[in-house]
Amino acid sequence: MKKVAIIMGSDSDLPIVQKAIDTLKEFEVPFEVHVYSAHRTPKEAADFVSSARANGFGVMIAAAG
């Protein structure tokens, strides 16, 4: 099964994505949560996204702001 990536611009966005995390856990869907800022860490964000498929991700959920 492919993994789901949950990407937040800041760890303060966690309350916004918590329901998605809870739902993924409930259905036993593998996922990872990452904090990448397009403003503060653009290279890291781009590297993660460009290699996501090769690293087993099939879906990305992104939240910022």
Side-chain angles (χ1 to χ4, degrees), residues 5 7 34 36 42-55 57 60 62:
I7 304 170
H34 296 274
Y36 293 116
K43 182 181 180 336
E44 291 84 350
D47 290 346
F48 179 82
V49 170
S50 65
S51 64
R53 184 174 296 194
N55 288 324
F57 292 96
M60 289 189 201

Side-chain angles (χ1 to χ4, degrees), residues 22-62:
D22 295 343
T23 301
L24 292 169
K25 285 180 181 178
E26 178 182 345
F27 288 100
E28 299 180 359
V29 175
F31 68 93
E32 294 180 13
V33 178
H34 296 274
V35 176
Y36 293 116
S37 168
H39 301 288
R40 293 183 300 277
T41 57
K43 182 181 180 336
E44 291 84 350
D47 290 346
F48 179 82
V49 170
S50 65
S51 64
R53 184 174 296 194
N55 288 324
F57 292 96
V59 173
M60 289 189 201
I61 299 171

